[in-house]
Amino acid sequence: MQLIKRFTKGSLLFTAAILVTGCSVFGDDDEEPKFAELQPISEQVQPKVLWDASVGSGIGEHFSRLNPVVEYGKVFAADRNGLVSAFDKSTGERLWRIDLRELIQFDEATDDGWFSGIFSSPFPARIAGGLVARYDRIFLGTENGDVVALNAENGEIVWHTEVNNEVMSDPAVGEGRVVVHTGGGKVISLDAETGEQQWEYEYQTPMLTVRGASAPAIVSGGVVVGDSNGAGMVLIAENGQQAWSQPIGKPSGSTELERLADVDAKPATQGTTLYMIAFNGELVALELMSGEVRWKRDYKAFENMLVTNGRIFLTDVQSHVYALDQSGGIERWSNTQLFGRKLSAPAWHRGNVVVGDFEGYLHWLDSESGTIVGRYEVGGDGVYVEPVVDNNILYVQTRDGDIIALDIQSGS
């Protein structure tokens, strides 16, 4: 699996790729192993599958953070092509399914189809942003530049808005608005009820960026965003004006590739502290209201962080897993046994930290020591996004569109 890059200059689009190796992100030493082979573990928990289902063809080899979401007694999931399904979260029974490629709504004044040429079969919808559940709706975005709200009860379209930029991360939904961060450097706020645009903020993107964009977060009347220049910022939710900006990424090196400093991970907050991390920069704790730096540590990551129980858990660009104290960033443990396995962001499951890898394995790590205490192969061409946990049940989506519910039991 590859980490895809995007080069933009005007309307030009160029993709490059690098392999994350065990010794260096930018290393090309063929003598070094590209990823860790799995070793026997002392199993202390036994994962078990409760149910499994399928949602279309998944995402294939495309870059995506398309994730399932659990809400309203249901598991909602989608594939890249346009299928969106709802499953009973306890049994896995499919409750409804829609295909956005087959849904064409008409404007009575112009007799034009909303989705004509975009969602109409056989063209893929290219769903990449979301899913997010709120206000009895499911919100999602597409690489075609669409933001869609669906009725969570039956899947019917509530509204659709074109933002004319790729949406590759989760929308932020709250305070009556839906905010998307596009791949072209735009932050756009839409009315959650109608989809009408409220404001737009735009920043200049660099020539070369990591594929994707950080998911925004709505916190206390502000919209927190990490940009592709390596900065974290807060925009005033009411009007989109910038309240403050703070460097997070730390460009270094002699080439454009080495100087990538995107902030692609979703900001995490605890109380008045904001945590942000850059691809080639630092992990920084900031004062939410002012942007003042409380502390910073040298870690490089593009996956989302898990902030819980006084700790920060993260997987870095080399697929090393770390646990740090929230208060000062002191490292408590690290696990390098899974290097190069393209680990997902971590999730919290019954006191353990769970990550998925490119071969389709889930790994349970003891949250106090980092020791691998459980493993389960779900297959599906790999786990590419962090699992979702609801009421101690873990739900995971694979690249080929499998949705699997699991729990664990203690070893004997």
Side-chain angles (χ1 to χ4, degrees):
M1 221 59 69
Q2 293 177 322
L3 177 59
I4 301 174
K5 307 291 181 180
R6 181 173 55 85
F7 173 81
T8 58
K9 184 175 183 181
S11 61
L12 296 179
L13 187 66
F14 171 76
T15 59
I18 59 172
L19 290 172
V20 181
T21 69
C23 59
S24 171
V25 176
F26 306 106
D28 57 2
D29 188 349
D30 292 335
E31 296 181 359
E32 293 290 339
K34 294 295 189 293
F35 60 88
E37 297 290 344
L38 296 182
Q39 303 300 317
I41 63 172
S42 176
E43 191 175 50
Q44 299 174 34
V45 298
Q46 286 84 46
K48 58 179 179 179
V49 172
L50 304 179
W51 58 260
D52 63 85
S54 178
V55 53
S57 56
I59 65 163
E61 293 299 314
H62 296 279
F63 167 83
S64 182
R65 286 179 172 165
L66 184 61
N67 56 269
V69 62
V70 184
E71 192 61 84
Y72 316 124
K74 303 177 181 69
V75 179
F76 303 93
D79 78 350
R80 184 175 187 269
N81 288 331
L83 288 176
V84 185
S85 298
F87 305 92
D88 183 283
K89 76 172 187 178
S90 298
T91 66
E93 177 189 0
R94 191 170 68 197
L95 303 175
W96 56 255
R97 180 177 68 179
I98 65 166
D99 190 340
L100 293 181
R101 295 167 297 179
E102 298 175 354
L103 297 177
I104 304 177
Q105 303 291 330
F106 288 91
D107 186 314
E108 294 181 358
T110 64
D111 200 35
D112 289 334
W114 275 357
F115 304 159
S116 180
I118 300 177
F119 289 94
S120 301
S121 182
F123 301 107
R126 301 204 301 167
I127 302 174
L131 306 174
V132 176
R134 188 119 191 233
Y135 304 136
D136 295 317
R137 296 175 180 178
I138 303 300
F139 300 91
L140 60 91
T142 79
E143 293 178 49
N144 294 329
D146 300 278
V147 183
V148 180
L150 304 176
N151 185 309
E153 184 63 29
N154 54 29
E156 293 181 354
I157 291 180
V158 179
W159 55 255
H160 157 261
T161 299
E162 296 181 6
V163 295
N164 301 314
N165 252 208
E166 290 182 312
V167 180
M168 295 178 288
S169 59
D170 287 1
V173 184
E175 300 181 6
R177 67 185 74 245
V178 178
V179 180
V180 295
H181 179 201
T182 75
K186 293 183 178 182
V187 183
I188 301 170
S189 178
L190 309 173
D191 185 283
E193 183 66 28
T194 66
E196 180 180 357
Q197 182 169 319
Q198 298 169 325
W199 51 258
E200 176 182 307
Y201 174 90
E202 186 172 7
Y203 61 88
Q204 186 67 41
T205 58
M207 298 289 284
L208 188 65
T209 72
V210 177
R211 177 71 168 164
S214 70
I218 299 174
V219 184
S220 302
V223 176
V224 187
V225 183
D227 72 20
S228 55
N229 296 295
M233 71 181 82
V234 167
L235 308 176
I236 299 171
E238 187 63 30
N239 55 29
Q241 295 181 355
Q242 188 182 95
W244 57 257
S245 178
Q246 183 69 247
I248 307 297
K250 186 174 61 178
S252 61
S254 58
T255 70
E256 289 291 330
L257 194 63
E258 292 174 326
R259 293 178 59 81
L260 290 167
D262 304 56
V263 179
D264 264 24
K266 182 178 181 178
T269 58
Q270 283 283 314
T272 61
T273 305
L274 170 65
Y275 302 96
M276 304 186 78
I277 193 166
F279 174 80
N280 194 21
E282 295 177 309
L283 168 63
V284 182
L286 305 167
E287 167 60 44
L288 178 62
M289 300 307 294
S290 66
E292 180 182 353
V293 176
R294 291 183 171 178
W295 55 259
K296 61 174 65 176
R297 298 289 181 266
D298 288 329
Y299 293 93
K300 303 175 182 181
F302 55 88
E303 296 286 0
N304 295 337
M305 296 173 286
L306 170 65
V307 180
T308 185
N309 294 328
R311 297 285 173 87
I312 302 168
F313 301 95
L314 64 92
T315 56
D316 74 359
V317 296
Q318 295 181 336
S319 287
H320 298 166
V321 186
Y322 295 92
L324 302 91
D325 280 338
Q326 284 180 219
S327 57
I330 304 301
E331 185 176 306
R332 292 304 176 184
W333 55 257
S334 65
N335 185 308
T336 63
Q337 294 174 282
L338 302 171
F339 74 85
R341 297 188 66 85
K342 313 296 186 293
L343 296 184
S344 72
W348 183 264
H349 188 214
R350 293 191 181 274
N352 300 290
V353 177
V354 185
V355 293
D357 74 20
F358 77 114
E359 286 190 320
Y361 287 91
L362 294 171
H363 309 271
W364 280 257
L365 282 67
D366 181 88
S367 61
E368 292 299 320
S369 66
T371 302
I372 301 174
V373 295
R375 179 179 295 149
Y376 191 86
E377 183 181 6
V378 295
D381 290 332
V383 177
Y384 67 97
V385 68
E386 65 263 34
V388 177
V389 178
D390 177 80
N391 196 29
N392 288 324
I393 305 301
L394 182 145
Y395 303 87
V396 63
Q397 181 165 347
T398 68
R399 282 190 169 271
D400 67 4
D402 290 336
I403 307 295
I404 303 160
L406 304 97
D407 200 357
I408 58 174
Q409 55 188 8
S410 298
S412 56

